[in-house]
Amino acid sequence: MITLESLDALSRLCPPPADPPRAVDWAQAERILGTALPADYKQLVETYGHGTFDDTIWLLVPDSVHGDCDLLAQTAERDEILADLWEMGEKKPAGLLESGARVLPWAFEEGTGAFLYWLVRPGQHPDEWTVLYNEGRGPLWEAHDMGCVAFLLAVLTGTAETEYFGYLYEVLKPTEHRFVTADQTLGAARR
């Protein structure tokens, strides 16, 4: 299965935390979101948990104790923000012109306001969702016909066909990739 191969490659490139992340109640999260979630995303969350890849890409996790990393809270917030922007006349990405289509965030880029979304289309299986990058502080959207694990792997290896994330290689020039948990970065939060 390609998802497992991509996750194995990502885990070799950017080792996950030694301690397993907190379990996620997927049934509850999917009920709240009103949709199933992609299998590769679930595997990614179960391997890494909430946190950041190369101090750049923050992974959102359902019911995270850190609001900025909480998939459910960020979904509600992004829905409201995007609805306001589109009501004010900002152009929607082409995929959202289809009736019933929506976006669902799964990660964000540190310090930029940019988010990574899935394009959720009616009748389409979650494992077939397209990754969308929105620059956040502007109207530009970029589509990537792949799942979130494959996209992360492409970004971290510098093979993603994107106008964004180039600074990872131009400025940061990572010799080793790393994942830091949200608790390590933001401090342990209590439930």
Side-chain angles (χ1 to χ4, degrees), residues 17-191:
D19 295 327
R22 186 176 59 80
V24 171
D25 184 342
W26 292 112
Q28 177 183 340
E30 291 174 335
R31 190 170 43 258
I32 292 168
L33 294 169
T35 184
L37 291 166
D40 70 330
Y41 169 74
K42 291 178 182 179
Q43 293 167 344
L44 182 65
V45 167
E46 290 169 357
T47 302
Y48 288 91
H50 56 195
T52 182
F53 291 88
D54 284 353
D55 299 320
T56 302
I57 300 173
W58 284 87
L59 181 61
L60 302 177
V61 173
D63 207 24
S64 171
V65 295
H66 301 285
D68 287 348
C69 298
D70 183 2
L71 175 72
L72 306 175
Q74 286 296 330
T75 297
E77 184 177 309
R78 300 311 308 164
D79 284 350
E80 186 177 315
I81 289 169
L82 291 172
D84 287 347
L85 289 172
W86 293 329
E87 189 175 304
M88 290 188 303
E90 188 170 298
K91 190 175 176 181
K92 287 184 178 184
L96 285 179
L97 300 178
E98 178 182 352
S99 178
R102 68 179 201 165
V103 291
L104 186 64
W106 61 271
F108 67 90
E109 185 180 4
E110 172 68 30
T112 66
F115 271 79
L116 289 161
Y117 296 90
W118 291 291
L119 174 59
V120 180
R121 299 176 61 215
Q124 188 177 43
H125 191 277
D127 293 342
E128 298 171 352
W129 290 347
T130 299
V131 169
L132 294 177
Y133 176 94
N134 174 245
E135 66 179 338
R137 295 190 176 122
L140 299 180
W141 291 79
E142 192 177 78
H144 300 274
D145 192 19
M146 62 184 73
C148 61
V149 172
F151 181 78
L152 271 174
L153 184 60
V155 166
L156 296 182
T157 58
T159 60
E161 293 182 21
T162 177
E163 295 295 317
Y164 306 95
F165 302 112
Y167 63 89
L168 281 174
Y169 294 90
E170 296 160 8
V171 178
L172 299 178
K173 300 177 182 163
T175 54
E176 290 182 8
H177 297 278
R178 66 188 196 123
F179 179 84
V180 179
T181 68
D183 289 346
Q184 291 170 310
T185 303
L186 305 172
R190 296 184 188 259
R191 278 233 164 249

